Amino acid sequence: MIEIHNLGKTYPGRRSVPVRALADVSFECRPGEIFGLLGPNGAGKTTALRIISTALRPTSGTGRVMGFDIVADATAVRRNIGFLSSNTGLYGRLTAREVLTYFGRLFGLSDERIRARIGELSAVFSMSEFLDRPCDKLSTGMRQKVNIARTVLHAPPVMVFDEPTAGLDVLTSRSIVQFVRECRREQRTVLFSTHIMSEVEKLCDRVGVLHEGRLHFCGPIDELRSRYGADLDEAFVRIVGEAA
Amino acid sequence: MLAGVWTIYRKELVDTLRDRKTLVFMLLIPAAAIPLMFAGINALVQRAQRQTAVEVVRIASDADSQRRYVQLVHQWFLGTQLQKTFRLAASPLFGALLKPEQTAGATVPGEIFDDPAAFQRWTQGLARAAREGIDDPADKSAAAAQIELPDALRTELVEFYRVALKGLGLVEFIDPAVLAPPPPGFVAAAGRPGRPAVPGFERFEAALRAKELHGYLVIPPEAERIVDAVSPTVLITLIHDSTLRLSKEAGERVAYVVEQAGQRVVELRLAARQLDASFVLPLDMQGQSDLATESQIAMAIIGGILPYFVIAFAFLGGMYPAIDLGAGEKERNTLETLILAPASRLEIAFGKFLVILTTALIAAFAGLLSIVASVRYLDAPELLKEIQLELSPVTALLVALLAIPPAAAFAGLFLAISIYARSFKEAQNYIAPLQFVLILPAMAPMLPGMEINATLAMIPLVNVSILSKELLRGAVHWGYYVTTFLSCFVFAGACVAYAVRQFSREQVLFRS
């Protein structure tokens, strides 16, 4: 469960002129639901996701993940989140198994539990063939599988995806979309940021449309369609246009 | 906390040790640099020494000056103990100067003891025959050191080599009259003010510049009556140019001959007047009054140089992993994943600090071992070869442990810089110039009058370099030793604290 109330973020800009990245953003994301955060580049999506995952601190507002405050209980929040983006890197000189073991230990899992989880995830994502190869030698698709496995290794109830398919080929994107669906089936809370409308249509139950740091729409996909038209691209353009 | 640090340390160390560049900086360079340096310097020095030692120098001199010069060398020879040995025709001393195959037919002609000209011809023949077998007398691997001789004779043999063979046998005298006139437009240099005038100076200088000639010798007639008539000091002139290799060699050879021949004249004058050597040496310092043993003196010198290498290797060993563990994480997009794990920023920074400390220490120890091995098994510099170094295991351990403070200081500093930098290249740009700044304190012990005190013991790196010098010369200052560790660890701790702060700063973590 993710609950965000009046979230704001201002960065110190050049010559002491602050840059507002987020202002007064509120939404909720429930277990078994995929919430899509839509917006053009620079809308504030990544900032919002980083605040929720505790990489950044909000300037104003509050947020809770599985009941833990994103500022006061940052460590507890991290234990409950799996974070994935398209450009998340891996340690090239370590094997996939070593990377997974490292993160398992960082998340406090016992070595026995880590071994068991790697076995399970290797079967789910068909990784056994390349589990002991250095990550540098893996294809993009294989790396993304390792990344997904790393994200869910500690079985987090909340998943945060920051444009996870950006720059990936069709097959790899497809496997990620399937994985996101699987998360919903497993009753996880899924927050998904993208600017690809086809993914929104395929995946999201509810969406929030961000533009210049403000949330201009928040509700179910059907409501978005009924208010702004059936075509999601058109609807998105209309919302952004109205906001401007 | 400890479990988190251990997890990060273990992973980062494995990751770092799999990197070839790290292995090159951490092991290969420290291990290979010193042996290569020793081997290279020795090869160059020995080659230059051998080459110069057996080369013939050409000196312009009129017949009278040449005769007087030969007389001086002959007079010197007759005053040596060595000449008595040479009077035994099949002197075993030839074995010290010639190769075994050359010794077989070598004899000492009787006339060399009476006729200076015959002596000159003999030295020329001997010197040229022995050229291949002659090594510089400073080189203890020379034949002279390989046969059993009393010390006094061995010293005289070396002197004979320098005075009679190099100073006379390997000198070719040229009549100044046969020197070609200078080329048209040649302008002679004035030389130093007060330069002695010689006839036909322009022709001589043109030949000197053309490297056909290496010196111009003038010995006044007073040199012939020098033993009997106590005249004002006889000034011998050798015009040469010390910027030209063989001309400099000619200057040195003649100067040495003059010095030795002068001493011989003093002996003869004293003997003629039945005076003791103390007559001209009324005061002298008692030898062997220095409490420091040769080993301690050598250690004091080594102590000035050793910390420089240890600090430089610790720098090299820590630099690359530090850049990789901070800025490298940003560049590979792995930093965000790491900070989203439940490990605290302190655990992350400290784990990384320990890895950098480890690699810096491995490099420093590899360098130290390499220095020890090079001194022991390679052609070490003269000083180290001649003196039996005495180093107790405790001192050796204390010196080795002194690699820890600079390694810690570098690890902290590099980590802070690396985390601040936005890319690998930027971190390199910040750290590489530090080499020049941080190596300076390593040179502190080479400065005169630098001794450890309370203030210096608190300055990181300076304290390490001065303290290791003190340790090597045999002085253990426990208080300063502990202070040195503390000061470097406080510095490293401050740097790690700064790194932790940088790890918590959004502007730094997400700079791009």
Side-chain angles (χ1 to χ4, degrees):
Chain A
M1 178 78 171
I2 301 171
E3 303 148 275
I4 295 301
H5 299 290
N6 309 109
L7 211 57
K9 178 70 182 175
T10 307
Y11 291 115
R14 285 182 189 169
R15 293 177 192 161
S16 305
V17 180
V19 177
R20 195 184 63 190
L22 277 184
D24 212 20
V25 172
S26 301
F27 63 85
E28 241 182 51
C29 181
R30 302 168 201 125
E33 176 187 71
I34 300 175
F35 184 88
L37 202 53
L38 317 185
N41 291 338
K45 301 189 296 292
T46 298
T47 299
L49 298 193
R50 280 178 173 165
I51 291 173
I52 292 165
S53 57
T54 76
L56 295 178
R57 280 169 165 253
T59 321
S60 59
T62 57
R64 300 183 86 78
V65 172
M66 298 302 291
F68 296 108
D69 187 276
I70 55 171
V71 176
D73 301 316
T75 308
V77 170
R78 285 181 212 151
R79 285 189 194 284
N80 284 285
I81 280 186
F83 185 92
L84 182 72
S85 75
S86 62
N87 62 356
T88 304
L90 289 170
Y91 298 104
R93 295 185 290 264
L94 298 189
T95 64
R97 188 191 299 279
E98 286 168 336
V99 168
L100 295 176
T101 306
Y102 176 49
F103 280 97
R105 285 177 180 150
L106 284 178
F107 277 91
L109 271 57
S110 68
D111 282 1
E112 201 181 329
R113 175 84 183 121
I114 292 168
R115 270 195 296 277
R117 283 294 286 159
I118 291 175
E120 288 165 28
L121 294 168
S122 171
V124 171
F125 298 116
S126 313
M127 299 195 302
S128 56
E129 204 184 301
F130 56 86
L131 208 49
D132 293 306
R133 260 192 248 166
C135 292
D136 264 351
K137 309 280 179 203
L138 303 182
S139 69
T140 313
M142 290 170 179
R143 278 188 210 185
Q144 199 59 358
K145 282 182 179 179
V146 178
N147 252 326
I148 293 171
R150 177 193 56 75
T151 314
V152 294
L153 190 77
H154 57 293
V158 175
M159 294 298 300
V160 176
F161 296 95
D162 184 13
E163 301 193 5
T165 59
L168 298 180
D169 62 54
V170 178
L171 287 176
T172 316
S173 301
R174 196 184 163 90
S175 69
I176 288 181
V177 167
Q178 275 171 354
F179 172 65
V180 175
R181 277 207 190 101
E182 192 61 22
C183 289
R184 175 169 57 192
R185 202 184 58 75
E186 291 167 353
Q187 290 299 302
R188 297 182 206 253
T189 304
V190 181
L191 180 57
F192 184 94
S193 94
T194 185
H195 57 257
I196 304 169
M197 289 306 147
S198 60
E199 282 180 355
V200 175
E201 273 189 305
K202 272 189 246 172
L203 288 170
C204 298
D205 303 305
R206 291 191 309 125
V207 291
V209 179
L210 263 179
H211 181 58
E212 292 181 344
R214 287 185 180 278
L215 200 60
H216 293 277
F217 175 86
C218 184
I221 289 267
D222 293 340
E223 189 185 326
L224 182 77
R225 283 205 174 100
S226 63
R227 273 172 62 180
Y228 296 99
D231 185 296
L232 279 186
D233 278 330
E234 281 299 316
F236 179 75
V237 172
R238 276 187 64 194
I239 293 171
V240 170
E242 276 178 19
Chain B
M1 162 81 184
L2 279 179
V5 171
W6 175 237
T7 297
I8 289 163
Y9 175 78
R10 215 167 16 162
K11 174 262 163 189
E12 299 289 19
L13 192 62
V14 169
D15 199 0
T16 300
L17 293 180
R18 282 185 191 165
D19 184 17
R20 277 190 202 153
K21 283 183 220 159
T22 300
L23 292 178
V24 167
F25 283 111
M26 191 180 72
L27 283 176
L28 192 67
I29 293 180
I34 299 295
L36 283 177
M37 203 173 75
F38 272 21
I41 290 175
N42 276 340
L44 284 174
V45 169
Q46 284 177 9
R47 188 168 156 260
Q49 279 179 347
R50 285 205 180 97
Q51 192 186 4
T52 308
V54 297
E55 270 184 278
V56 173
V57 294
R58 287 190 291 279
I59 294 176
S61 174
D62 60 42
D64 290 337
S65 288
Q66 185 188 332
R67 183 172 43 76
R68 288 165 197 145
Y69 183 80
V70 175
Q71 268 174 357
L72 285 173
V73 179
H74 188 240
Q75 190 167 272
W76 168 86
F77 174 64
L78 294 180
T80 61
Q81 291 294 314
L82 199 64
Q83 58 97 14
K84 291 176 191 163
T85 316
F86 274 129
R87 282 181 194 272
L88 306 168
S91 170
L93 289 181
F94 277 119
L97 292 166
L98 303 177
K99 284 182 171 178
E101 61 268 25
Q102 293 171 323
T103 325
T107 53
V108 180
E111 68 264 29
I112 66 159
F113 301 101
D114 306 316
D115 178 8
F119 174 72
Q120 183 187 14
R121 284 194 299 279
W122 178 67
T123 59
Q124 282 172 341
L126 191 60
R128 283 165 203 204
R131 270 169 82 156
E132 291 302 310
I134 289 177
D135 255 322
D136 193 273
D139 184 351
K140 292 299 170 193
S141 66
Q146 288 170 5
I147 63 166
E148 287 295 321
L149 285 175
D151 279 351
L153 214 53
R154 186 193 302 281
T155 310
E156 280 209 340
L157 198 62
V158 173
E159 290 302 315
F160 176 78
Y161 169 80
R162 291 189 69 180
V163 179
L165 297 195
K166 279 178 79 177
L168 185 61
L170 291 172
V171 174
E172 182 186 341
F173 288 99
I174 290 171
D175 183 354
V178 304
L179 291 177
F186 179 82
V187 180
R192 294 192 187 187
R195 168 179 66 76
V198 293
F201 179 75
E202 282 195 352
R203 285 193 295 177
F204 158 69
E205 201 198 336
L208 191 78
R209 301 267 167 253
K211 297 184 181 172
E212 290 161 4
L213 201 63
H214 308 117
Y216 194 121
L217 178 70
V218 181
I219 301 184
E222 294 78 27
E224 292 182 37
R225 299 180 304 278
I226 200 164
V227 177
D228 311 320
V230 181
S231 58
T233 305
V234 176
L235 294 177
I236 292 173
T237 302
L238 185 90
I239 294 181
H240 67 288
D241 184 339
S242 62
T243 60
L244 302 172
R245 185 174 64 88
L246 279 180
S247 189
K248 180 174 182 241
E249 173 72 11
E252 285 170 359
R253 286 188 196 179
V254 171
Y256 195 73
V257 165
V258 170
E259 183 192 326
Q260 294 298 314
Q263 280 179 20
R264 174 68 186 143
V265 170
V266 171
E267 284 166 19
L268 291 171
R269 283 179 177 177
L270 291 172
R273 289 159 186 79
Q274 293 181 323
L275 290 170
D276 189 71
S278 63
F279 185 77
V280 288
L281 190 65
L283 291 172
D284 200 3
M285 291 296 294
Q286 171 67 46
Q288 307 303 320
S289 308
D290 188 353
L291 283 180
T293 62
E294 282 192 327
S295 171
Q296 282 173 319
I297 294 169
M299 283 300 194
I301 295 169
I302 296 169
I305 305 163
L306 194 71
Y308 174 83
F309 285 109
V310 172
I311 288 175
F313 289 142
F315 188 103
L316 267 184
M319 179 177 77
Y320 190 81
I323 296 173
D324 196 51
L325 292 181
E329 286 251 27
K330 285 187 197 175
E331 205 158 281
R332 289 189 298 264
N333 289 318
T334 48
L335 187 61
E336 191 169 1
T337 329
L338 180 61
I339 60 169
L340 290 180
S344 72
R345 306 290 155 94
L346 178 63
E347 285 172 317
I348 297 172
F350 199 61
K352 285 174 182 284
F353 164 78
L354 289 179
V355 172
I356 304 165
L357 174 64
T358 306
T359 58
L361 276 178
I362 292 174
F365 288 142
L368 266 174
L369 283 176
S370 160
I371 291 171
V372 172
S374 303
V375 169
R376 190 154 286 187
Y377 301 112
L378 281 180
D379 267 358
E382 280 309 312
L383 176 81
L384 302 181
K385 266 198 301 187
E386 283 182 17
I387 294 160
Q388 192 62 41
L389 298 176
E390 295 152 15
L391 190 63
S392 75
V394 175
T395 309
L397 182 68
L398 288 175
V399 172
L401 288 179
L402 267 187
I404 297 173
F410 288 148
L413 182 64
F414 294 169
L415 180 66
I417 292 173
S418 176
I419 287 169
Y420 175 78
R422 71 189 76 180
S423 67
F424 207 96
K425 202 171 174 184
E426 189 178 310
Q428 266 179 327
N429 289 343
Y430 290 142
I431 292 178
L434 283 179
Q435 283 183 64
F436 300 103
V437 181
L438 297 177
I439 292 302
L440 285 178
M443 293 176 163
M446 298 182 207
L447 299 174
M450 274 294 208
E451 286 187 0
I452 193 80
N453 58 39
T455 311
L456 290 176
M458 281 190 279
I459 306 173
L461 301 185
V462 173
N463 50 15
V464 171
S465 48
I466 298 178
L467 204 62
S468 22
K469 183 181 178 181
E470 298 274 316
L471 277 172
L472 284 171
R473 73 167 185 83
V476 183
H477 309 277
W478 288 108
Y480 294 144
Y481 198 84
V482 174
T483 313
T484 296
F485 267 75
L486 284 178
S487 86
C488 287
F489 276 104
V490 166
F491 175 77
C495 289
V496 173
Y498 177 79
V500 172
R501 199 165 152 258
Q502 296 303 308
F503 255 128
S504 312
R505 288 182 63 204
E506 295 165 6
Q507 302 97 302
V508 171
L509 290 178
F510 297 106
R511 280 172 88 199
S512 59

